[in-house]
Amino acid sequence: MQIQDLPYPDPGVPDARSGPRFLWWLFRNQLGGQLKSLAWGLLHFASVAALPFCVGVAVQAVVDRSGDRLALAGGLLALACVGNAVGDTFLHRTAITNWITAAARVQQLLARKAAHLGSALTRRVAAGEVVAVSTGDVEKIGWFVEALSRFTAALVTVVLVCVGLLVYQPALGVVVAVGLPALALAVLPLLPRATRRADTQREKAGRATELASDTVAGLRVLRGIGGEELFLDRYRSASQEVRHAAVRSARMWSLISAIQVLLPGLLLIAVVWYGVRLAREGRITVGELVTVYSSVMVLTYPLRHFEEIAMAYSFSRPSAKRAAGVLSLQRPTDTAGSRAAGAPCGDLYDPETGLLAPAGRLTAVVCGDPDAAGLLAERLGGHPSQEGTSVLLGGVPLDELPLDSARTAVLVQDKDPVLLSGTLRELLDVPASGVVQPREALAAAQCDDVLAALVQGSLDAADPLDARITERGRSLSGGQRQRLALARSLITDPEALVLDEPTSAVDSHTEARIAQGVRELRAGRTTVVFTSSPLLLDRADRVVFLHEGEAVAVGAHRELVRTEPRYRAVVTRETDDETALNGSVALKDVLKGDALQDDDVLQELEEIEEKA
């Protein structure tokens, strides 16, 4: 796999049982790239290791006054330099390719898992942790995969040089063959502590990233309640903990680096001292002494890769563990695909609650527990966060459909939809039936003022659809973001559309017009709206009231207000002290329903509410 071939057609099925198993799986799936990197690494390190031999031959040739051997040494030296340059160039190229392709594979796996789990992902893993895994952790994992082949090439080179020195000059070769393994193993007692400190640093950094992500996401709310400084103080504290952990980890790695410099220096001193004695005794030549000395000095370069692989593994292991933790998540009901593809049609029915949304009608659902309403909305879309009986669409269990078919058939818009940055045209460019045009959806969602605001903020946009939306739509108000998200959902025109509190952030006038617009645009299509707003409830074909997880009442809004006290309490938000006045409250809500098309009456009702 080359960089230009990315993304992968199929990133594969990862072994997510543990961090080390996941790293080993990545290595096996990049075996071709690893072998290429190993081959170029062997050429590079072998060329570097050959330089001392060439220098030794040249020195001995000068001592012996041999022009032929000096020329031979020069030719060998030139060849080694060419091999060094070519090997280093292509080693870097293949190693970086392994890094990028490994990171791309992990990112594709994470994206596929996020698409597979849907909204259940953020219920089981913090959004900040997903961000940390897909950014910093991916880089650490790619670093280890990239460094592995270079370490293997360095290890093979060290072994070959030790064997070569034993053959070339046994007396000094024994010293080197015994000393080099001791150098490589000297830091092993320090690695567990360094690994623990690296794990602690990654853990604290992950928590800080999660806190930063949550703080940024809720910055508007924090400013509104005056809690911005409180959360910033918490982030500062978490940041300082990361800094202290990083310093402690760096100290340990500095100690390991110091040992990697000190011990080779001591070995070099021992080789020179012993070699000079052997040269005085005439047991070795000057050229052989220079060769052995230069070999030991040059071998400090591949030995540095021993430290790098230890550091790369220490940092990548917790990252791989976090990535494997996300990739190991499964849907509570993962039987999708047991039926043939194809979007079914018909009534939408939830056996657990008894909720029935007849085909082609607008059904409003009232639930006193917002969290329970959100979980039910997700289950209706085939995104259950826990095991249970599957929702039926036209008598077909959604869990048994391929995910693409299930998500084409039922679309769920949660109460906090996300707007991606880009132009409005790009935002509305979603998979759709083609029946509903963007202008129609925007009009139904009452987005005229949103379009005007976007055009005003984008001076170079003559067409409102070319106006740019900032990241997560932060330049827009909550109501404006909500309406754009509603328009995006309407454009898709699914067989069944589930909306969770789609108008909670808009005013009464706009809410009444949205209710009418959605009803007209979704005529003949199944629509389920979770809401407690009388303005929406009065426009529904039928209202289902859920109490303690069961559908306990079904009917028209005005009928339920009169006959079902629990329903009236949820819709009117009355307290126990207000129960005696529930008749008048119910009447006011009924009047609101009658006043949907009369802005003056609606305004009078709002003034009465404000005075009360």
Side-chain angles (χ1 to χ4, degrees):
M1 173 64 70
Q2 298 297 318
I3 295 177
Q4 62 264 26
D5 299 326
L6 294 174
Y8 287 94
D10 180 11
V13 180
D15 186 349
R17 288 176 291 177
S18 65
R21 288 179 182 271
F22 180 60
L23 291 175
W24 175 244
W25 178 84
L26 281 176
F27 173 78
R28 288 190 291 106
N29 279 268
Q30 288 193 313
L31 192 57
Q34 294 291 340
L35 291 176
K36 288 181 182 179
S37 183
L38 175 61
W40 290 115
L42 288 174
L43 175 61
H44 169 59
F45 288 118
S47 300
V48 171
L51 293 175
F53 174 75
C54 298
V55 172
V57 171
V59 170
Q60 191 61 39
V62 172
V63 173
D64 297 340
R65 299 181 180 277
S66 173
D68 294 338
R69 279 188 294 164
L70 184 61
L72 176 62
L76 293 175
L77 189 62
L79 184 62
C81 289
V82 172
N84 181 19
V86 174
D88 190 23
T89 300
F90 285 94
L91 170 62
H92 180 76
R93 180 184 179 89
T94 53
I96 294 301
T97 298
N98 289 337
W99 185 337
I100 294 176
T101 52
R105 185 187 296 273
V106 177
Q107 287 178 327
Q108 280 187 249
L109 290 171
L110 292 171
R112 187 176 67 180
K113 179 60 66 173
H116 181 71
L117 293 176
S119 58
L121 175 62
T122 52
R123 289 188 179 272
R124 302 169 67 180
V125 181
E129 182 174 351
V130 177
V131 172
V133 171
S134 59
T135 53
D137 287 336
V138 166
E139 293 184 4
K140 297 295 187 300
I141 294 171
W143 177 27
F144 174 75
V145 173
E146 174 266 336
L148 193 58
S149 56
R150 289 191 289 111
F151 162 73
T152 305
L155 176 62
V156 172
T157 301
V158 170
V159 172
L160 291 177
V161 169
C162 289
V163 173
L165 289 178
L166 283 172
V167 175
Y168 178 72
Q169 180 42 251
L172 286 176
V174 171
V175 178
V176 177
V178 173
L180 284 179
L183 295 181
L185 299 176
V187 297
L188 284 182
L190 300 176
L191 289 180
R193 183 178 297 180
T195 301
R196 287 194 299 269
R197 292 189 179 185
D199 290 351
T200 301
Q201 179 190 351
R202 295 299 303 157
E203 181 181 353
K204 291 183 179 295
R207 286 202 298 264
T209 302
E210 295 171 20
L211 182 59
S213 177
D214 295 340
T215 302
V216 172
L219 194 57
R220 183 189 295 269
V221 177
L222 292 175
R223 285 175 176 169
I225 64 176
E228 182 180 4
E229 286 300 324
L230 174 62
F231 276 79
L232 288 178
D233 288 340
R234 291 182 182 178
Y235 179 73
R236 291 189 189 100
S237 177
S239 178
Q240 289 303 310
E241 290 182 7
V242 174
R243 184 178 67 84
H244 291 309
V247 170
R248 295 186 72 245
S249 178
R251 286 174 180 169
M252 185 56 63
W253 287 111
S254 298
L255 178 59
I256 292 175
S257 298
I259 293 175
Q260 290 286 317
V261 173
L262 175 63
L263 294 184
L266 296 177
L267 176 62
L268 194 61
I269 293 173
V271 168
V272 172
W273 176 78
Y274 186 53
V276 169
R277 286 188 58 187
L278 294 178
R280 285 183 176 180
E281 295 172 1
R283 296 169 59 184
I284 64 172
T285 64
V286 175
E288 291 173 338
L289 175 60
V290 171
T291 299
V292 176
Y293 165 79
S294 301
S295 296
V296 175
M297 185 172 63
V298 169
L299 282 179
T300 58
Y301 168 59
L303 280 175
R304 299 294 294 181
H305 290 76
F306 286 65
E307 175 194 348
E308 182 188 7
I309 195 65
M311 183 180 294
Y313 180 73
S314 297
F315 278 90
S316 66
R317 189 174 62 85
S319 296
K321 180 180 178 181
R322 288 154 62 101
V326 175
L327 295 175
S328 63
L329 297 176
Q330 297 294 331
R331 288 167 55 89
T333 52
D334 206 358
T335 59
S338 59
R339 288 180 177 263
C345 58
D347 296 344
L348 187 63
Y349 176 67
D350 178 34
E352 288 194 12
T353 61
L355 170 63
L356 174 65
R361 302 181 68 184
L362 174 59
T363 301
V365 181
V366 177
C367 182
D369 184 355
D371 293 333
L375 292 174
L376 176 56
E378 292 179 355
R379 194 162 67 247
L380 290 177
H383 310 288
S385 57
Q386 56 189 4
E387 294 186 4
T389 306
S390 174
V391 170
L392 306 178
L393 178 62
V396 178
L398 287 180
D399 292 342
E400 297 181 7
L401 290 173
L403 281 178
D404 291 343
S405 299
R407 291 175 178 178
T408 300
V410 183
L411 174 68
V412 178
Q413 176 183 304
D414 61 27
K415 64 183 64 178
D416 188 23
V418 175
L419 303 183
L420 301 179
S421 60
T423 64
L424 181 57
R425 192 184 305 277
E426 293 170 343
L427 175 71
L428 302 180
D429 185 16
V430 293
S433 64
V435 176
V436 179
Q437 299 302 312
R439 303 284 183 180
E440 297 174 335
L442 290 169
Q446 300 299 309
C447 293
D448 292 342
D449 63 317
V450 184
L451 298 180
L454 288 174
V455 171
Q456 185 176 5
S458 302
L459 300 179
D460 56 343
D463 188 341
L465 293 179
D466 294 327
R468 296 199 64 82
I469 299 175
T470 57
E471 181 186 4
R472 299 179 67 91
R474 299 189 190 281
S475 61
L476 302 174
S477 67
Q480 291 174 329
R481 291 197 301 269
Q482 201 172 55
R483 282 177 281 163
L484 284 181
L486 175 59
R488 180 177 58 186
S489 299
L490 293 174
I491 287 175
T492 61
D493 190 36
E495 178 66 27
L497 176 61
V498 180
L499 304 172
D500 188 5
E501 295 289 353
T503 59
S504 59
V506 300
D507 60 80
S508 299
H509 291 281
T510 306
E511 188 176 30
R513 297 188 183 98
I514 289 176
Q516 183 64 24
V518 170
R519 180 181 176 85
E520 293 176 355
L521 194 63
R522 292 287 300 172
R525 308 289 269 176
T526 306
T527 307
V528 180
V529 181
F530 286 82
T531 183
S532 59
S533 168
L535 296 173
L536 286 175
L537 294 172
D538 194 66
R539 282 296 174 183
D541 296 317
R542 67 200 305 265
V543 178
V544 179
F545 175 55
L546 297 179
H547 182 68
E548 295 182 353
E550 294 185 4
V552 296
V554 180
H557 166 59
R558 303 184 191 188
E559 175 187 353
L560 292 177
V561 166
R562 290 192 299 267
T563 62
E564 178 56 65
R566 293 172 298 181
Y567 174 83
R568 182 170 58 248
V570 173
V571 172
T572 62
R573 298 176 178 85
E574 67 182 13
T575 64
D576 294 338
D577 295 335
E578 297 171 328
T579 304
L581 301 176
N582 54 27
S584 60
V585 174
L587 178 60
K588 182 178 68 175
D589 290 328
V590 173
L591 290 176
K592 276 191 175 182
D594 292 333
L596 287 174
Q597 303 301 322
D598 193 335
D599 291 342
D600 294 334
V601 176
L602 186 59
Q603 185 174 359
E604 291 178 6
L605 285 172
E606 291 174 350
E607 291 176 354
I608 293 173
E609 290 178 353
E610 292 177 358
K611 292 178 180 179

